[in-house]
Each structure stands twice: as C-alpha cells, then as structure tokens.
Amino acid sequence: MGKIVSGAEAVAHIGDGAVVTVSSSSALGCPDAVLEALGARFRDEGHPRGLTTIHPIAAGDMYGVKGVDHIAQDGLLATIIGGSYPSGPSNLPMPAIWQMIVENRVAAYNVPSGILFDMHRDVAARKPGVLTKVGLETFVDPLREGCAMNDVAVGRSIVERAEFGGETWLHFPNIVPDVAIIRATTADEHGNLTYEHEGATLGALDQAIAVRNHGGLVIAQVKRVTAAGSLRPHDVHVPGHLVDMIVVAPGQKQTTETLYDPAISGEIMRPWDSFARAEHNVEKVIARRAAMELRAGQTANLGFGISAIVPRILLEEGQAQAVTWAIEQGAVGGMPLTGFAFGCASNAHAFVPSPNQFTYFQGGGFDMSFLSFLEVDVQGNVNVSKLGKKPYLTAGCGGFVDITAHARKIVFSGYFEAGAELSLTPEAISVTRPGKFTKMVAAVEHVTFAGQRALRQGQDVLYVTERCVMRLTETGLVATEIMPGIDPERDIVTASEGRVAVAGNANRMPVSLLSETPMGLAL
C-alpha cells in the first residue's frame, strides 16, 4: 500500500518552479482533490512557488468543481498554458484564474488542445518539439498573437514560424513537465489505473509517459483502491510503473453536477427514447438546417453551442444512429450530451484517448464538423476564443483550431445579430426588433478560424443563422438561402452593414424547418 498517500503528502513533493501537467476536461476527469491540496499547501507554507501548469483541456468549471481556481494564487502560479479555461454566463462571478489573466498577474497562453497533446508525445520521445500547420494564420500564429492571452505573455514566445521542406510550419519547442496530476476510477496497490466510471480517458497516459520519461512525479487521484492483481490487464489504461502516488477521493464527480451515471461511462445503454428532444425555438431551427448537410453513414465532429443540438434533431427525425459522432474528449458514436454533461456521450461505441482523437481530427479524417461562432468577418474569419469585455464567456479555442485546420467541410452555426427580438411561427421567422449589434463584423477580435486559408485549401464552409445560410466565396460572405419571413435587404444586407451580400439566385429555406413536429429529414 506504499503508493497510497493523502493529497497533502502527494503535493508536498512538488517543488518550486515545477512544470505541472493536469489531465481534465472541465469537471470530467478533474483531479480536484489534488488541486485543492496543492492550493492549500501554498496558503499554509508559501510553497511551491512559480509553477507552470499545462491543461490540454480546462481543469474545473464555474458550477461547483473549482479545478484550476484552487491554484489561481499569486506566487503559486507563474505561467498557465491551456487549451481551454473555465467559462460560464456573465451573471456568475469571474473565475479566479480569469482575474489573474486579465490583471496580468500570470503569463497566460491559449494553445489548441491537440497541439498540447502533441507536445506531450514529442517531449516524451525527446523529439525537437511539435512541427504543425494547425493554427497557421489564426491567433496561434506568431504573426498574430502567438497564443498569448495577456500582455505579460506577449514577450515570452512559446511558438515560432519555421521553414521546413519548402513549406511554412509552426514550431512549438519542448516544454518538459516535471509533474503529472491525472485521474482514474480504480487503482490497484501497484498503481495500475482503470477508468470504468469515467466518461473519457482523456490524455492521462500520454501525460504520465511524458513525465516518467524525464524522471518526474506522477500523481493519480482515484475513487477507490483494489488489491494488486485484481484488475484485468485489458482494462488498465495507465500501468502502475508510470504512477508514483495514489490519492483516494471517494466523492469525485464523474462530471459537472453528476456524481455517477453508468450510461456516461458506457456500462449501460440508455433506451433511445429516454433522451430529451430539443426545445422548439429559433436555435432548434438553426440546428435543423445544419443537420440537413448530413448523409447517412458519415462521421461528424461536434462542438459546443447551437451545434450540440444537431444530434437531437436526428433523434427526433428517427435518424439517431445514422451518423457517427466524434467528440474531442474521446467518445465515438452514441448520443453526445448537452449542458453540464457536454463532452460526454451516452451509448458510445468506443472511448478513444483524446490525443488519438485529435490526430484523427488534425488529419481531417471525418466528413464534416459542426461548430458555433461568436462573430464572423468579411474575410470569413471566425472568432470563438476571445471576448475582450467578458473574457470568461468563452473557454478559449479548445479543439476548435485542430478540428478546422484540415476539415473537409465545416458548418458554423449562430445568431446573425446579438439581442435581436425574433418571432417564430410555423410559417416564418421575423425580426420584430433589431439586435444590439451584428455578429457580421469588419474584423473579428480574435481569429480562431482563418477563412482565406480555408478557401485556398478548398474547404467547404457554411455559416447557418436564423436569417440565412451564407457561403464563403472569393468575394466574401454571400447569403445563398433565405429563411421564410426574412427581408433580405433589411434583415441581412442592412443589418450586417453591407458585409453580407445576397446571391441573385438565393433559395428560400424549407418551411418545414419551422414546424413544431418533425421536419421529415431524410439522410
């Protein structure tokens, strides 16, 4: 039982200036008890100081699992590198980590999640860092922000442009992690880890290998401990020789506001009629039009926001199993969940480790991606990663940049304006009061998706809103389909301040999109 220690005993081995990599996805797989112990040690002792933490996907959320906020303390945290960050609505207090970022009390970076997983694999194999085209011409590129989230990070570059083989690449030099904090369900006495109650394995194995290969410390938080030799070898995801210490936290949540649901971990299969249908509203209409792009037998990636409703559209249409969904946390197939459980799926066919899932995404192996937008500009650029006035309303880029880098087809969904008053009837959507501002802007605040690069690569890009479907063309954004009830000149051209043109042969979107009953979708 020598590996089993308290949280306080485990974090006592983390030294000043250490680089700590944390496996988590909001509350999914979050080693919250260990992070809490780390924060408590600093408050009591003033050590460890000056940590750099790496989070391929966010640790914690704004809904009861503090995660990274436990360690968001001046002196403790010097640098944070995250694929995403805790996010939530403006009526909740700003997370402590965001306070540090906006006040320049920590050097903060937003690096695409897939690249962060690549960095662990390459540092583990002692390769010379990550060489990738993911992120070119976006905020990731040093020609723009170079991943820096605040002023204090700007002068400390973590990415550079490099010429190799006659092509331009982004190079991320190695960052060697000293400590990995990971999570599982069960550990045996030797430290072998199984994930039977988890909704994903995330990148724990790769993070542990990266640390072990450089002589570092691996701490695993688990729900329970079993006797040595009692775990099936095929069930062990992280072998015990990679694990130094085990911290038992019996009350660890499966994900946000969910202590344990066996359908999330694939232990049972839910009846398909047990899943809630999408509420009938304008967002559902947008998701319906997006779903029309699908064909039976395809594999599609799914992002947060309106796009997350698309599987529920297929459910309502009797097509729930016609498409295979793949989400960045690792679930393949089944029904992706919404709300607090986003990132999980019930009735999944498989759980792929996140680093492998991102390899699949970066190479564009799937048929299409459904993603959302905050704003779109005249170059077709999309921002989902930064809102200067309310930064914690977005989690950052997450896997968005990895997914869109080589996707064959991308369907973005969102509202045309912010705060418009809309009327929805079975015959039409009408704008009863204009919005506060258009989301079709001259230049996005943050380039998370580079429209012109996508055009040069021949990617098929659509933007679906409650007013129209737009395509990215050489001349800019062009509305090719108009929603019933929408006045093209007033509600599209004028509302966008002339930034969206209407095609002369624009079609009328099917009125079946507006029906309160199934629309009759055939894939």
Side-chain angles (χ1 to χ4, degrees):
M1 302 289 283
K3 289 188 177 184
I4 302 172
V5 298
S6 68
E9 289 172 315
V11 300
H13 293 266
I14 300 176
D16 291 352
V19 177
V20 181
T21 180
V22 181
S23 178
S24 185
S25 176
S26 296
L28 173 63
C30 184
D32 198 59
V34 177
L35 294 174
E36 182 179 14
L38 180 56
R41 180 192 167 199
F42 181 79
R43 285 192 297 273
D44 293 342
E45 303 175 11
H47 294 282
R49 302 189 64 82
L51 298 185
T52 293
T53 59
I54 303 173
H55 308 266
I57 313 178
D61 54 37
M62 295 173 61
Y63 306 96
V65 178
K66 289 186 66 174
V68 69
D69 263 17
H70 287 301
I71 59 174
Q73 302 178 50
D74 293 321
L76 168 58
L77 196 59
T79 303
I80 183 166
I81 303 170
S84 54
Y85 289 81
S87 63
S90 58
N91 63 345
L92 292 179
M94 183 183 296
I97 187 60
W98 276 108
Q99 288 280 3
M100 292 188 74
I101 292 170
V102 299
E103 294 171 7
N104 280 297
R105 291 154 45 208
V106 61
Y109 302 86
N110 186 197
V111 179
S113 295
I115 290 177
L116 285 174
F117 285 125
D118 291 340
M119 290 171 71
H120 285 82
R121 286 181 165 179
D122 282 9
V123 76
R126 300 180 187 270
K127 295 178 181 178
V130 174
L131 202 62
T132 182
K133 290 185 180 292
V134 171
L136 278 168
E137 300 182 32
T138 73
F139 79 94
V140 177
D141 197 318
L143 294 183
R144 295 189 185 272
E145 289 85 354
C147 299
M149 293 179 68
N150 56 10
D151 292 341
V152 70
V154 169
R156 310 178 193 175
S157 175
I158 62 170
V159 58
E160 58 195 20
R161 277 193 163 216
E163 298 298 320
F164 180 77
E167 297 182 286
T168 300
W169 302 77
L170 295 182
H171 177 234
F172 288 81
N174 284 333
I175 300 174
V176 179
D178 304 296
V179 180
I181 301 175
I182 63 177
R183 199 187 95 173
T185 300
T186 305
D188 72 8
E189 296 162 289
H190 293 158
N192 295 301
L193 305 180
T194 58
Y195 284 68
E196 61 271 20
H197 289 178
E198 307 300 317
T201 59
L202 302 175
L205 177 60
D206 289 67
Q207 289 166 284
I209 292 172
V211 168
R212 170 58 70 244
N213 284 9
H214 290 273
L217 174 73
V218 178
I219 301 169
Q221 176 183 311
V222 298
K223 180 186 288 189
R224 59 197 184 186
V225 175
T226 190
S230 61
L231 298 175
R232 291 180 66 251
H234 277 292
D235 295 337
V236 173
H237 181 68
V238 180
H241 72 282
L242 300 177
V243 177
D244 297 294
M245 296 181 178
I246 301 163
V247 176
V248 182
Q252 67 184 23
K253 293 181 178 179
Q254 191 179 46
T255 187
T256 303
E257 298 198 345
T258 302
L259 186 62
Y260 171 54
D261 176 354
I264 286 177
S265 45
E267 296 167 277
I268 65 169
M269 299 286 282
R270 285 176 56 178
W272 285 98
D273 62 5
S274 70
F275 294 101
R277 270 53 173 174
E279 180 184 355
H280 186 70
N281 55 24
V282 173
E283 290 190 357
K284 181 177 182 178
V285 173
I286 297 171
R288 276 177 161 176
R289 176 57 190 86
M292 289 174 61
E293 296 300 310
L294 286 165
R295 297 294 177 267
Q298 290 184 327
T299 298
N301 163 263
L302 195 68
F304 191 65
I306 294 175
S307 297
I309 306 172
V310 175
R312 305 300 168 124
I313 303 301
L314 268 59
L315 177 71
E316 183 178 271
E317 300 292 331
Q319 305 274 353
Q321 301 182 68
V323 170
T324 298
W325 300 104
I327 53 181
E328 63 189 63
Q329 286 78 5
V332 177
M335 176 58 66
L337 302 181
T338 57
F340 291 135
F342 182 80
C344 302
S346 291
N347 299 0
H349 304 160
F351 294 109
V352 175
S354 287
N356 300 76
Q357 191 81 300
F358 275 108
T359 298
Y360 175 62
F361 290 163
Q362 289 175 349
F366 52 98
D367 293 290
M368 72 179 71
S369 182
F370 293 89
L371 299 166
S372 300
F373 66 80
L374 293 175
E375 55 181 2
V376 182
D377 71 18
V378 294
Q379 298 295 315
N381 298 322
V382 171
N383 174 22
V384 299
S385 50
K386 184 179 180 181
L387 286 174
K389 294 179 180 178
K390 296 282 187 179
Y392 64 99
L393 296 186
T394 171
C397 69
F400 186 100
V401 180
D402 304 282
I403 292 163
T404 57
H406 297 108
R408 286 172 263 174
K409 184 169 185 173
I410 307 167
V411 181
F412 293 113
S413 296
Y415 282 100
F416 199 87
E417 287 185 313
E421 188 174 287
L422 302 167
S423 171
L424 170 62
T425 72
E427 292 77 36
I429 288 180
S430 55
V431 181
T432 56
R433 186 174 65 188
K436 298 176 183 178
F437 54 87
T438 179
K439 292 190 174 186
M440 307 298 126
V441 298
V444 295
E445 182 176 356
H446 216 220
V447 179
T448 331
F449 169 76
Q452 296 306 300
R453 180 173 176 79
L455 270 182
R456 294 196 301 274
Q457 293 185 145
Q459 293 173 279
D460 186 6
V461 184
L462 275 72
Y463 308 81
V464 180
T465 75
E466 81 286 0
R467 304 184 188 191
C468 60
V469 174
M470 296 169 285
R471 285 192 173 272
L472 180 57
T473 71
E474 296 289 346
T475 58
L477 295 174
V478 177
T480 57
E481 299 176 35
I482 311 299
M483 184 68 71
I486 293 299
D487 182 304
E489 186 62 33
R490 181 193 65 203
D491 298 332
I492 297 173
V493 178
T494 301
S496 69
E497 300 177 9
R499 298 181 187 116
V500 178
V502 176
N505 60 348
N507 296 318
R508 185 173 180 265
M509 295 163 72
V511 72
S512 59
L513 294 171
L514 309 172
S515 171
E516 293 191 34
T517 58
M519 61 181 290
L521 180 66
L523 300 185

